[in-house]
Amino acid sequence: MKILVCIKQVPDMESRFKVNAAGDWYDQSDLAFRMNEYDEYAVEQAVQLKEQLGGEPEITVVSIGPERVGEPLRKALAMGCDRGVHIHDADSSRKDPWQIASLLAAFAREGSYDVIFTGMQSQDRGSAQVGMILAELLGLPSVTTIVGFSYEDGQVTVRRELEGGARSVVRVPLPALFTCQLGLNQPRYPTLPNIMKAKKKEILLVKEGDFALTEGRALTSRLFRPEKKGRGLVLEGDVAEQSQRLVEILKIKTAVFR
Amino acid sequence: MKFLLVAESRDGKLCDVSHELLAFAAEAGAEYAYFQVGSEESLPCCDATLYLADRERYGEYSPDLHKELILAAVEWEQPDAVVFMHSSYGWDLAPRVAVALQAAQVSEVVAINDGEYEVGCCNGKMRRSVKPTTPRVVLTLQSGAFNQKEVSGGTPQIVPLEIEKAGGQIDFIGYEEAEKKSVDLTRADIVVSAGRGVGKKENVPLIADLARALGGELGGSRPVVDAGWLDHSHQVGTTGQVVSPKLYMACGISGAIQHVAGMKRSEFVVAINKDRDAPIGEIADVLVVADVMQFVPALIARIGQQA
């Protein structure tokens, strides 16, 4: 069995974002980057499937982006993936979901993977499209937002998350693609021995230019900070002062202390 | 401009999203037709064409078939945009339809502006204005972004839709209903919720102490429940409970859209967050910029002095 996991590197969402000079994306300097949270669940599910099958499947983890993308790839290898593929693209943030998925499809077509896992969306762009477009381009059945996964005899049964806490149970034959929702599993922390082992694993470097490129379908014309509605009161200072002011406000505005 | 609006149903009942789709069409000044896999017993109220495919025949989660049905409706209607809600149904189906139509997809639209679509990004901290370059587009709408209280009545003109039923590969087994809530937050006057900002599981009892000190119930955000720090019965948000207390306190919760959708009808909202830019600040009446673990003990002590 061959498993593919597609991951993305994103900024820490607690960062303070600034608009770049071109005005069409965030300024990428001075940001701490990490693996997209949803993708950690995708990596973990791939590793769990490999473990279930006695270590037989080979897991490839792929990511598109500049130099720094090596870091999350290394982390995925330390979590248990076997080999990494870095599609080098210094300008990947300018590509729309269609272009990213087309690039992944051009790569994945060669590999004839049995199972593909992606996060359900990225934390920065959040289009929730790349995994699904990839599946359509490869002609694979796909299911989004899985919160449960089990494999038996070439059949996969997944649970999809629905609104209000309900789920639907869906059965899919392989090969297939799944997009992973938070809470699907408990992503492991790489142990020190595994981090050391991961350093010896291969990360294949390929260039985006090695693949046929496609035209974008949706351009970001502008990135901006949403207008603050500014109706809220902001309390700063030390906690003694803040807590006193909050209690005073609650006395006036709510019935808590009556 | 003409839209094809995709209505949703679950368990044979129309989902309550038609008014949002209609509000969007009205704001865009577009004519529209509806599409739904459902039944004649549960129809959207509107004076428009409704392409209706039979739920018994095509199922509720059978995305391959639903895609083909939508493409058939597009063939008849030739819309400029196919519009879904950004829901578990919409985000699953929209990319399949967009690829087939060779159309750009814009996800989770919150506003429309001069032929461009505004969408949130970076966990709601920033916004993008997106310009499609394809003649036809597929859109998903952020839940709650477009609203219209008055839904114009009327009876749709039904056009029954059928396709050759090719065997889809995805086999829908059934629904699992949400577990019965052992904690009913929907009736609580005061809800105090813990978010990822509390740091670790061992810190959650402190937030429970604050809830107790205020005479309220303990809630939590999704990451806290996913991490196993709190039982799902405490989760506030679209996949948990939707609450509307007199006082809602968000402790270390950034304010992801899924959480906000579950508490925005609260009368008074206090957020405690060390990130001044956290999106929760947008809907909070009071934002306390502080580390939760430092502020909450001080607040509990202060509340103790009120008695």
Side-chain angles (χ1 to χ4, degrees):
Chain A
M1 179 185 279
K2 291 177 76 182
I3 305 172
L4 178 67
V5 189
C6 307
I7 66 170
K8 182 180 184 181
Q9 192 185 38
V10 297
D12 189 313
M13 285 304 131
E14 292 202 2
S15 310
R16 201 178 158 81
F17 291 96
K18 284 179 290 196
V19 179
N20 68 4
D24 61 358
W25 199 234
Y26 52 78
D27 182 350
Q28 303 192 29
S29 55
D30 299 328
L31 288 176
F33 284 86
R34 47 165 292 169
M35 192 192 301
N36 179 43
E37 199 178 0
Y38 297 86
D39 303 346
E40 291 184 4
Y41 293 87
V43 171
E44 176 63 31
Q45 202 57 52
V47 176
Q48 285 188 12
L49 180 56
K50 181 183 167 91
E51 286 170 348
Q52 183 195 335
L53 298 176
E56 184 274 316
E58 190 200 46
I59 309 173
T60 301
V61 55
V62 61
S63 191
I64 301 174
E67 238 37 68
R68 55 177 160 73
V69 165
E71 279 171 51
L73 282 171
R74 210 45 89 182
K75 181 179 181 183
L77 295 176
M79 286 172 76
C81 295
D82 297 296
R83 56 192 285 268
V85 176
H86 178 179
I87 301 179
H88 190 275
D89 180 1
D91 229 9
S92 58
S93 62
R94 284 183 191 277
K95 289 194 166 58
D96 70 1
W98 166 255
Q99 290 172 295
I100 293 288
S102 299
L103 202 48
L104 288 171
F107 165 75
R109 225 171 252 131
E110 307 295 313
S112 44
Y113 295 97
D114 302 288
V115 192
I116 303 179
F117 293 108
T118 72
M120 78 148 289
Q121 62 185 358
S122 61
Q123 290 172 283
D124 58 352
R125 199 181 275 261
S127 77
Q129 294 178 33
V130 171
M132 296 304 290
I133 298 173
L134 173 60
E136 291 298 297
L137 289 175
L138 296 176
L140 297 180
S142 55
V143 181
T144 54
T145 346
I146 64 165
V147 289
F149 178 94
S150 67
Y151 170 84
E152 207 176 340
D153 297 333
Q155 284 266 342
V156 168
T157 307
V158 292
R159 283 172 169 71
R160 286 195 75 218
E161 185 178 72
L162 307 175
E163 288 72 15
R167 291 155 176 208
S168 54
V169 184
V170 179
R171 198 177 294 141
V172 195
L174 296 184
L177 180 145
F178 304 95
T179 81
C180 304
Q181 170 64 304
L182 307 178
L184 168 63
N185 47 44
Q186 296 276 357
R188 67 194 66 192
Y189 291 105
T191 60
L192 192 59
N194 286 339
I195 291 171
M196 300 311 288
K197 258 191 250 169
K199 287 188 175 161
K200 297 203 185 79
K201 292 180 182 172
E202 174 202 21
I203 295 183
L204 181 70
L205 188 69
V206 289
K207 291 195 286 290
E208 49 121 19
D210 295 344
F211 301 98
L213 297 181
T214 46
E215 288 285 311
R217 290 178 170 179
L219 305 168
T220 298
S221 58
R222 195 161 74 92
L223 184 90
F224 56 101
R225 197 178 295 282
E227 264 172 58
K228 293 265 177 211
K229 289 177 199 89
R231 77 190 171 100
L233 178 71
V234 178
L235 296 184
E236 286 176 298
D238 66 68
V239 294
E241 192 187 324
Q242 287 172 316
S243 58
Q244 185 175 1
R245 288 203 57 198
L246 181 59
V247 166
E248 284 163 9
I249 292 165
L250 292 178
K251 274 184 186 167
I252 298 165
K253 297 284 190 182
T254 74
V256 177
F257 298 111
R258 276 171 220 162
Chain B
M1 199 152 50
K2 194 195 253 180
F3 288 170
L4 181 68
L5 308 177
V6 180
E8 305 176 15
S9 40
R10 179 169 343 154
D11 254 349
K13 289 205 184 63
L14 183 74
C15 296
D16 188 23
V17 295
S18 331
H19 60 291
E20 299 190 47
L21 293 164
L22 279 177
F24 178 70
E27 194 163 326
E31 293 173 48
Y32 60 89
Y34 259 108
F35 167 89
Q36 190 191 357
V37 179
S39 71
E40 293 201 24
E41 275 90 72
S42 193
L43 297 174
C45 275
C46 63
D47 262 324
T49 304
L50 170 68
Y51 292 90
L52 183 66
D54 182 14
R55 148 181 193 270
E56 295 295 322
R57 189 173 151 89
Y58 300 105
E60 283 185 0
Y61 183 73
S62 191
D64 296 345
L65 294 177
H66 288 204
K67 174 179 84 174
E68 295 301 330
L69 287 162
I70 290 172
L71 294 177
V74 167
E75 193 60 36
W76 282 102
E77 203 61 29
Q78 294 295 327
D80 301 288
V82 183
V83 187
F84 299 81
M85 291 307 297
H86 197 71
S87 61
S88 60
Y89 183 75
W91 68 56
D92 189 272
L93 205 44
R96 304 176 200 263
V97 171
V99 170
L101 292 174
Q102 300 186 322
Q105 181 186 333
V106 186
S107 305
E108 218 171 346
V109 173
V110 296
I112 180 167
N113 209 338
D114 233 5
E116 297 199 359
Y117 301 96
E118 285 182 16
V119 302
C121 68
C122 298
N123 204 15
K125 282 187 169 181
M126 304 296 278
R127 273 201 189 177
R128 291 194 300 138
S129 187
V130 181
K131 191 181 173 63
T133 55
T134 53
R136 187 174 272 156
V137 291
V138 169
L139 306 172
T140 67
L141 309 182
Q142 185 178 84
S143 160
F146 300 92
N147 250 312
Q148 156 176 301
K149 293 213 175 63
E150 293 292 307
V151 176
S152 55
T155 315
Q157 295 90 56
I158 295 173
V159 178
L161 205 55
E162 288 200 22
I163 52 165
E164 284 289 322
K165 193 176 162 177
Q169 290 191 284
I170 295 171
D171 196 5
F172 176 77
I173 312 285
Y175 291 113
E176 283 179 354
E177 282 316 309
E179 60 224 81
K180 259 234 177 308
K181 306 285 185 237
S182 52
V183 182
D184 189 0
L185 300 176
T186 60
R187 290 161 190 272
D189 278 343
I190 298 171
V191 176
V192 180
S193 287
R196 207 199 304 247
V198 304
K200 55 183 177 188
K201 186 174 187 173
E202 290 69 28
N203 292 341
V204 173
L206 179 70
I207 309 303
D209 288 346
L210 175 59
R212 211 169 299 122
L214 288 166
E217 295 281 353
L218 177 66
S221 69
R222 169 172 200 139
V224 165
V225 171
D226 283 345
W229 299 355
L230 202 57
D231 185 75
H232 180 261
S233 58
H234 292 272
Q235 187 174 319
V236 174
T238 41
T239 54
Q241 301 188 52
V242 177
V243 303
S244 51
K246 295 195 166 73
L247 171 64
Y248 188 85
M249 273 210 187
C251 306
I253 292 175
S254 68
I257 176 77
Q258 295 79 1
H259 185 80
V260 170
M263 46 67 70
K264 66 181 175 196
R265 289 194 184 84
S266 306
E267 276 177 34
F268 198 78
V269 176
V270 176
I272 302 148
N273 208 298
K274 63 178 196 287
D275 181 2
R276 205 181 190 285
D277 292 332
I280 192 82
E282 283 293 305
I283 57 149
D285 296 283
V286 179
L287 171 65
V288 180
V289 183
D291 184 277
V292 170
M293 296 315 295
Q294 287 172 10
F295 177 76
V296 170
L299 180 61
I300 291 173
R302 195 72 71 181
I303 292 165
Q305 293 164 10
Q306 305 305 310

